[in-house]
């Protein structure tokens, strides 16, 4: 059984979707959630789902040693960033090479980098007059949104779309694709 840890900073709707996707699976399960925000709703979702969760400070995360120890103690095989806003330290990347995946709410390399998350991304799509947006699921490296792309899915952006409209379309793509792409990546590691 592959054990997945999810790192999240906010609501945790993707974390819940992923956990439900693997619930009852004999292949993988979400068994641990790490949040860097003590007020993140993902912690409530974890409690409701019966998944162990912890809150870590930004400094603890940057130092990485305690995070790596927590993951190793729980025999975590794979790490998923689902709305996690901190840059992953090199030490953690080295501890889980090719085993940390992120989802970005745009078609990278467009609209990526520091500060490009959530509504900031969707507002940039509108400001640029893009005719499409979507999601990028990628392995992470030491830079924001620059790791190897594993999967992209697109949605049309209409001239009348607001950033909220785009956010809604992108969320639908996230919920549809992220869990099964995680499973595909896990199978490449077998």
């Amino acid at each position: 059984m592959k054990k997945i840890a999810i790192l999240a900073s906010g609501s945790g709707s993707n974390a819940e979707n992923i956990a439900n996707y693997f619930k009852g699976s004999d292949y993988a399960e979400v068994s641990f959630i790490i949040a860097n925000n003590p007020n993140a709703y993902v912690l409530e979702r974890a409690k409701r789902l019966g998944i162990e969760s912890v809150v870590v400070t930004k400094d603890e995360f940057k130092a990485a040693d305690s995070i790596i120890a927590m993951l190793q103690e729980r025999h975590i095989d794979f790490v998923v960033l689902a709305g996690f806003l901190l840059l992953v330290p090199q030490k953690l990347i080295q501890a889980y090479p090719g085993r940390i995946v992120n989802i970005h709410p745009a078609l990278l390399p467009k609209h990526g980098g520091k500060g490009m998350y959530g509504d900031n991304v969707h507002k940039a799509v509108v400001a640029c007059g893009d005719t499409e947006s979507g999601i990028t699921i990628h392995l992470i490296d030491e830079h924001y949104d620059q790791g190897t792309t594993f999967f992209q899915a697109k949605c049309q952006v209409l001239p009348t779309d607001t950033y909220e409209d785009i956010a809604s379309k992108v969320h639908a793509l996230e919920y549809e694709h992220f869990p099964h792409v995680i499973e595909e990546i896990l199978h490449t590691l077998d």
Side-chain angles (χ1 to χ4, degrees):
M1 171 78 72
K2 304 275 189 205
K3 292 183 177 258
I4 301 168
I6 296 179
L7 280 56
S9 297
S11 166
S13 60
N14 269 312
E16 183 169 3
N17 187 45
I18 295 162
N20 285 332
Y21 178 86
F22 287 106
K23 191 173 192 167
S25 165
D26 59 357
Y27 180 70
E29 69 178 356
V30 175
S31 59
F32 192 44
I33 293 177
I34 298 175
N36 65 308
N37 173 0
N39 300 313
Y41 191 70
V42 71
L43 298 167
E44 287 301 315
R45 291 180 195 269
K47 187 184 297 182
R48 189 174 68 242
L49 293 164
I51 299 170
E52 180 187 8
S53 63
V54 298
V55 177
V56 298
T57 66
K58 185 176 182 176
D59 288 340
E60 284 175 308
F61 189 74
K62 281 174 68 175
D65 292 327
S66 65
I67 307 303
I68 294 167
M70 281 189 263
L71 296 172
Q72 290 174 344
E73 285 166 11
R74 290 158 180 84
H75 307 287
I76 298 297
D77 299 295
F78 196 70
V79 179
V80 175
L81 307 184
F84 191 70
L85 303 181
L86 299 180
L87 184 66
V88 176
Q90 185 66 34
K91 204 182 267 189
L92 181 53
I93 294 168
Q94 289 170 344
Y96 283 85
R99 294 176 177 266
I100 306 175
V101 70
N102 182 47
I103 190 164
H104 186 74
L107 299 171
L108 292 174
K110 289 187 90 173
H111 311 300
K114 187 171 174 63
M116 293 304 286
Y117 59 88
D119 288 342
N120 294 347
V121 174
H122 309 309
K123 289 175 182 177
V125 168
V126 170
C128 289
D130 292 348
T131 59
E132 64 182 10
S133 189
I135 60 169
T136 303
I137 299 171
H138 63 96
L139 296 175
I140 65 143
D141 62 16
E142 63 276 3
H143 305 286
Y144 282 110
D145 305 323
Q146 292 185 22
T148 303
T149 295
F150 196 88
F151 176 86
Q152 287 187 313
K154 298 177 181 178
C155 60
Q156 184 179 14
V157 175
L158 303 172
T160 55
D161 280 348
T162 64
Y163 77 88
E164 294 98 340
D165 295 328
I166 297 166
S168 181
K169 292 176 185 183
V170 168
H171 285 308
L173 291 175
E174 290 173 350
Y175 302 149
E176 178 184 354
H177 295 290
F178 202 16
H180 76 80
V181 172
I182 290 167
E183 186 171 17
E184 286 175 30
I185 296 170
L186 284 170
H187 282 293
T188 69
L189 303 174
D190 286 341

